[in-house]
Amino acid sequence: MLKRITQSPFLNILSGLILLATAGNEIIETLGEPSIGAHHGIAIFGIIQILKAIPELMHGLKEAEEAKETLQGK
């Protein structure tokens, strides 16, 4: 059960969005400073988390569409 939770595409997108939002806030606050901090890496990791989950979600949507077409064909 723990494996299903940790590999959930919805959880990956949610955590990616949270990481991106919090790091984005920090990036905006330090916009005038010419330095690179940990928040830049966290923002990149958040983007990777989101991108990693998109193919799984698209596959699930495709399967749901195919199931819908099968049920409508009966």
Side-chain angles (χ1 to χ4, degrees):
M1 183 170 136
L2 183 60
K3 187 176 182 178
R4 273 192 11 220
I5 292 171
T6 59
Q7 293 179 349
S8 168
F10 295 111
L11 184 61
N12 283 339
I13 285 184
L14 180 64
S15 64
L17 288 172
I18 291 170
L19 288 171
L20 193 58
T22 56
N25 183 40
E26 191 73 25
I27 289 170
I28 289 171
E29 286 180 6
T30 61
L31 202 55
E33 300 173 16
S35 65
I36 295 180
H39 49 277
H40 291 95
I42 293 171
I44 292 170
F45 185 71
I47 292 169
I48 290 170
Q49 284 291 104
I50 294 168
L51 292 176
K52 188 171 73 170
I54 289 174
E56 295 175 33
L57 288 175
M58 296 303 290
H59 178 70
L61 290 172
K62 182 179 176 185
E63 286 184 354
E65 184 66 30
E66 289 173 359
K68 181 180 173 184
E69 290 174 0
T70 302
L71 288 174
Q72 287 179 348
K74 289 186 176 182

